[in-house]
Amino acid sequence: MSNRSIDLSDALYNYLLATSLREPEVMRRLRAETAGLPGSMMQIAPEQGQFMALLVQLMGARRCLEIGTFTGYSALAVARALPADGRLVACDVDAETMAIGRRYWDEAGVAGKIDSRIGPAVETLDEMLNAGEAESYDFAFIDADKSNYDDYYERALKLLRPGGLIAVDNVLWGGSVIDPGKKDPDTLAIRALNEKIKEDDRVVCSLVPIGDGLMLAHKRTDYHS
């Protein structure tokens, strides 16, 4: 026995899904369609979507932000967890993949909760800040181009209320974060943000080994942007 995080075999991972995943049919079909597309590996794991939905519900979140939407699975998971008057701002540069998500959002009855913004996310976030939306969001999910992760993190932190939560995806990067030979811009950006968040006294953090690694950064209630 060990008290370290467990390493999941295929059989144990399948058991995890079989005993805990409550995935609606509409979400399963969205995953299946996405699996046949280029870049399908950008799709989050279903247990991660369910975990994020649980976080949103536990927080009683009403206003959420997503940076990097792809085909909309994570947006669908979060939007389903929001109350009827909840709102999710979903940012992505690809209108075609966002349109795939919108079909499923409509079918699931949550499209009215999702405000999709097409364009560079840094520009979108700056527009939101300039519009006076600082400290008005409860939850932010970052899952876009890795080289801009620090820019997204800093802006999301400003948009979050004290007590809000940021979830940063892919922070283990398939193990590349510990490979000294990996010095590409994406890997360097992820390493740098992981180290920054660990030392960032504006937040309380935990790196959760789900999917490709999910860094949770809880904005301290005594910190204001």
Side-chain angles (χ1 to χ4, degrees), residues 40-56:
S40 60
M41 290 300 294
M42 292 190 292
Q43 176 70 73
I44 67 167
E47 69 274 16
Q48 181 177 329
Q50 182 168 295
F51 178 64
M52 294 196 313
L54 176 62
L55 294 176
V56 167

Side-chain angles (χ1 to χ4, degrees), residues 62-84:
R62 308 180 75 83
R63 299 190 63 177
C64 297
L65 172 65
E66 178 175 82
I67 304 164
T69 297
F70 191 39
T71 59
Y73 187 91
S74 52
L76 180 53
V78 169
R80 290 184 69 254
L82 290 173

Side-chain angles (χ1 to χ4, degrees), residues 96-115:
E96 292 186 10
T97 54
M98 185 84 83
I100 294 172
R102 192 170 292 111
R103 285 193 280 110
Y104 290 90
W105 302 341
D106 285 332
E107 182 180 342
V110 298
K113 299 179 184 179
I114 303 175
D115 177 4

